[in-house]
Amino acid sequence: MSTLAVHDHAGAHHDEHGHEHHHDQSFLSKYVFSMDHKMIAKQFLITGITMAVIAMILSILFRIQLAYPDKTFPLLTTLLGRFAPNGRISPDFYLALVTIHGTIMVFFVLTAGLSGTFANLLIPLQVGARDMASPFMNMLSYWFFFLASVIMLSSFFVQKGPASGGWTIYPPLSALPKAMPGSGEGMTLWLISMVLFVASSLMGGINYVSTVLNMRTKGMDLWKMPLTIWALFLTAILGILAFPVLVAGVVLLIFDRSVGTSFYLSDIVLNGVQQPFEGGSPILFQHLFWFLGHPEVYIVIMPAMGISSEVMSVNSRKPIFGYHAMVYSLIGITVLSFIVWGHHMFVTGMNPFLGGVFMITTLIIAVPSAVKTFNWLATLWRGNIRFTPAMLFAIGMVSFFISGGLTGIFLGNATLDINLHDTYFVVAHFHLVMGSAAIFGMLAGVYHWFPKMFGRMMDEKLGYLHFWLTFICAYLVFFPMHFMGLDGVPRRYYAFTEFASMQKWLTINTFVTWAAIIAALTQFGFLYNFFVSIFKGQKATQNPWESNTLEWTTPVEHLHGNWPGEIPTVYRWPYDYSKPGAEEDYIPQTVPYSQTMSSNLPHDFEDNPAGLEELNKFTSTLKANEQVK
């Protein structure tokens, strides 16, 4: 595998790209319809942050309803008009808020915002390429994502409001335009938006895979790639294989809605009238949706895992523990994620034998996740840790991944899931393991690579404040939900005051809402830090974190083509930190072994017998000199 590096493309373009950064570009071609991967990364990041703020505001609106179900807030009517008559959010709009919040966070923030930003920024820089394999397709990928975002948000301005069948849009609510207000034009816009979103993801994914396989610089074989690149590469493969299945499901849904087919519908009575649908099955949609939906969970978390691995190694001043095991566990997750989707469907009446199969595969996929967790802890163990904001967010990511992952073992058990399915226990589980963990991984990446993106440093003190308040509030919001779920409190309910058995949880709901409001306000401190630092932050040096990977060999000022001269050659893996015998506690990938004889080890020369011979000679000479002394 170590011979798989492909150099031709990068080598052929050394000279022709060397002077491209001198070309004059208009405002439109530089900042709007840019084909430079670094600018496209910024576009994805800022769009993703904007969508995250919108989703956060939606969540605060429905949390207010859950905390104060019987109170009226005239301000809500002023802000939301017909969707909040008499100062209370209407039940239909409550469901729309939950639906669009989930959709934006899962797809537009944690898929496009996370992968789009860091795959675009890091893949060419860390593998040693001038740009992506197809810069034009890269630009299209962003603009399809932007268009999908606009269409999704535009559903708030149609007569009956946005889609409101939950982010999973199960039929019949999504298949019958007259089922509820949110099943009309709002659902149509949701479906159009998602098709455009998948087109964006596919264009991006094909580009990322092509770049990693074909455009690595000289010496950069697969086993010298940082874990960030492995994670983004495998995430792209997951997306390419899984997203088309969602499109197939959506196309059949559009047929049911518009053409009168019955793929998902049968024996429907609407307002007392028997509908002419027969022979379809809503369970078919669940199979198609979750065949994407479960790989999607790993599409969200794997880039965060890769980012956290890199950040933790750099800031522990230690090699990542178990590099090969980390790579194989990522590959294991990628493969296994396609055979666990049925655990979302234990209560659909599936054959118990099939439920048992899905239960076993679900518990097996916990193994590579546990390998990663132990390796992160072992990387931190006795490291010379620097607690930068990025490091804190990476450690926070591991914390959420562990606490949220443990509850996955409960839900992966088909018997226990009968009690816990569609309760707040599920909400707590995936908001910790997927939501909070992925957000913290993304924030670790933003703090760590901000100097590379913008040439300036973010304010560290505001970063620490951002971490601690967000970390504490996230646990205060989601941890109590486990106990609500164990008591049988169902998710997506508009108010719990109707049920005597659930009224005792009203005080907890109020507590959770205030924790969520504090967490939301904290994010505005981050936004201030982010946008002010872009223009007024302290200027960054070329390699502020003393890191080994290739992106820190590029100049602080962005060039089209990344490196002013030739692309550097890679000689070693990216995690040579605190190597015994070395002069400094980091050795960049571009430093040949011939320059670090005092710190070289026999296993550094597994594929290089001549180098091993040189090392043996050097060691013999050293011993002879010591004997003479």
Side-chain angles (χ1 to χ4, degrees):
M1 192 173 278
S2 63
T3 58
L4 285 179
V6 180
H7 322 309
D8 298 348
H9 193 106
H13 288 281
H14 277 173
D15 299 325
E16 96 184 43
H17 279 276
H19 52 82
E20 266 202 21
H21 56 276
H22 295 303
H23 292 184
D24 290 330
Q25 289 181 294
S26 67
F27 179 84
L28 275 178
S29 66
K30 187 173 182 183
Y31 294 105
V32 183
F33 299 108
S34 175
M35 293 192 210
D36 184 348
H37 70 100
K38 300 180 290 297
M39 185 56 68
I40 293 170
K42 294 178 195 176
Q43 291 175 323
F44 268 108
L45 179 59
I46 289 169
T47 310
I49 287 174
T50 306
M51 294 298 277
V53 170
I54 292 167
M56 184 176 76
I57 291 167
L58 301 184
S59 70
I60 297 303
L61 289 173
F62 64 69
R63 283 292 346 156
I64 288 170
Q65 163 60 30
L66 289 170
Y68 304 105
D70 297 326
K71 289 193 178 172
T72 57
F73 299 92
L75 181 63
L76 288 177
T77 307
T78 310
L79 291 173
L80 303 173
R82 66 183 186 279
F83 296 129
N86 306 318
R88 286 183 70 190
I89 290 170
S90 69
D92 286 326
F93 190 63
Y94 172 84
L95 290 175
L97 289 173
V98 173
T99 301
I100 303 299
H101 164 78
T103 305
I104 289 177
M105 288 306 297
V106 172
F107 294 111
F108 292 81
V109 179
L110 294 175
T111 302
L114 181 51
S115 283
T117 300
F118 292 104
N120 271 302
L121 177 71
L122 296 178
I123 287 176
L125 287 173
Q126 288 196 336
V127 303
R130 294 289 183 195
D131 207 308
M132 283 290 178
S134 171
F136 178 73
M137 201 156 77
N138 211 18
M139 176 191 80
L140 277 185
S141 166
Y142 170 72
W143 284 104
F144 268 72
F145 163 59
F146 182 79
L147 191 58
S149 305
V150 170
I151 290 172
M152 185 63 70
L153 296 177
S154 70
S155 64
F156 279 97
F157 302 98
V158 296
Q159 180 63 34
K160 292 181 179 176
S164 49
W167 78 275
T168 55
I169 58 156
Y170 285 175
L173 287 181
S174 58
L176 293 167
K178 293 179 182 172
M180 62 191 294
S183 300
E185 302 97 328
M187 182 60 71
T188 305
L189 289 169
W190 192 101
L191 295 168
I192 294 167
S193 170
M194 285 313 299
V195 170
L196 291 171
F197 178 85
V198 172
S200 159
S201 295
L202 289 176
M203 283 189 282
I206 291 166
N207 226 347
Y208 306 151
V209 170
S210 304
T211 307
V212 170
L213 289 180
N214 294 322
M215 297 183 66
R216 301 191 304 280
T217 187
K218 187 177 179 185
M220 176 67 80
D221 62 47
L222 294 181
W223 292 115
K224 292 195 181 87
M225 294 198 311
L227 289 169
T228 37
I229 301 299
W230 273 108
L232 292 163
F233 172 60
L234 292 165
T235 300
I237 292 171
L238 264 183
I240 291 167
L241 295 174
F243 271 119
V245 180
L246 176 66
V247 175
V250 162
V251 168
L252 299 185
L253 190 55
I254 290 169
F255 284 169
D256 275 14
R257 288 171 61 80
S258 310
V259 189
T261 54
S262 302
F263 290 108
Y264 306 131
L265 297 171
S266 187
D267 307 315
I268 299 285
V269 177
L270 192 64
N271 296 329
V273 179
Q274 175 79 37
Q275 300 297 305
F277 299 107
E278 54 184 80
S281 169
I283 306 297
L284 168 63
F285 179 83
Q286 291 196 31
H287 278 294
L288 293 172
F289 182 88
W290 288 114
F291 190 82
L292 156 86
H294 203 80
E296 168 64 18
V297 171
Y298 292 102
I299 288 169
V300 163
I301 198 65
M302 280 189 356
M305 289 172 161
I307 288 166
S308 297
S309 302
E310 176 71 22
V311 170
M312 287 167 76
S313 180
V314 171
N315 289 298
S316 297
R317 311 314 288 165
K318 271 181 69 182
I320 193 80
F321 185 90
Y323 172 82
H324 285 79
M326 289 296 240
V327 173
Y328 287 128
S329 61
L330 283 170
I331 294 169
I333 287 169
T334 304
V335 173
L336 288 167
S337 69
F338 282 106
I339 52 172
V340 296
W341 81 91
H343 66 219
H344 296 271
M345 302 170 59
F346 284 145
V347 295
T348 57
M350 68 160 59
N351 185 313
F353 174 76
L354 189 60
V357 171
F358 279 122
M359 184 173 89
I360 290 165
T361 57
T362 300
L363 296 177
I364 289 171
I365 204 170
V367 174
S369 301
V371 168
K372 299 194 80 59
T373 302
F374 287 124
N375 285 6
W376 285 320
L377 297 177
T379 302
L380 292 172
W381 176 250
R382 300 186 72 179
N384 183 16
I385 297 177
R386 300 187 308 200
F387 288 106
T388 63
M391 182 62 160
L392 289 173
F393 277 102
I395 295 170
M397 178 266 171
V398 176
S399 169
F400 287 124
F401 188 69
I402 293 170
S403 54
L406 288 173
T407 54
I409 297 170
F410 291 62
L411 294 167
N413 185 310
T415 317
L416 286 173
D417 187 65
I418 292 168
N419 269 17
L420 297 174
H421 188 82
D422 261 348
T423 68
Y424 267 78
F425 194 89
V426 179
V427 178
H429 161 69
F430 75 78
H431 275 87
L432 286 176
V433 77
M434 184 178 95
S436 302
I439 285 285
F440 270 57
M442 185 174 176
L443 288 168
V446 170
Y447 278 99
H448 189 73
W449 281 289
F450 189 89
K452 184 54 25 200
M453 295 180 91
F454 298 104
R456 292 180 182 269
M457 307 295 285
M458 288 182 78
D459 186 288
E460 226 174 37
K461 286 178 182 168
L462 284 175
Y464 293 138
L465 187 68
H466 178 214
F467 168 76
W468 284 111
L469 284 174
T470 308
F471 182 74
I472 292 164
C473 287
Y475 269 123
L476 293 180
V477 168
F478 299 119
F479 211 79
M481 292 182 184
H482 292 104
F483 304 106
M484 294 170 69
L486 288 168
D487 195 41
V489 178
R491 63 194 284 203
R492 297 194 178 119
Y493 274 34
Y494 172 67
F496 296 119
T497 44
E498 310 293 321
F499 306 93
S501 64
M502 295 178 203
Q503 283 182 356
K504 61 176 178 261
W505 293 105
L506 195 58
T507 50
I508 291 291
N509 260 323
T510 309
F511 173 79
V512 163
T513 295
W514 278 104
I517 288 169
I518 294 167
L521 293 173
T522 304
Q523 305 320 304
F524 288 102
F526 164 72
L527 292 176
Y528 171 82
N529 191 1
F530 182 85
F531 287 106
V532 169
S533 297
I534 290 175
F535 301 104
K536 295 188 176 175
Q538 177 193 339
K539 289 199 172 177
T541 55
Q542 187 175 14
N543 188 359
W545 315 121
E546 298 182 321
S547 181
N548 290 342
T549 41
L550 278 182
E551 75 271 27
W552 304 106
T553 63
T554 60
V556 178
E557 297 78 23
H558 285 178
L559 308 176
H560 189 69
N562 297 334
W563 287 270
E566 284 204 9
I567 299 177
T569 300
V570 167
Y571 297 97
R572 59 180 73 229
W573 78 319
Y575 300 109
D576 267 342
Y577 293 106
S578 301
K579 208 171 178 186
E583 292 173 17
E584 292 180 297
D585 68 350
Y586 70 107
I587 308 173
Q589 287 188 279
T590 53
V591 176
Y593 283 113
S594 58
Q595 293 179 20
T596 56
M597 294 305 280
S598 60
S599 64
N600 291 347
L601 298 167
H603 69 73
D604 293 331
F605 300 100
E606 282 171 355
D607 301 328
N608 183 1
L612 186 58
E613 202 175 313
E614 285 289 318
L615 178 64
N616 290 336
K617 276 184 193 171
F618 177 78
T619 312
S620 304
T621 310
L622 215 58
K623 281 180 181 170
N625 289 343
E626 280 174 11
Q627 283 170 358
V628 169
K629 281 179 187 176

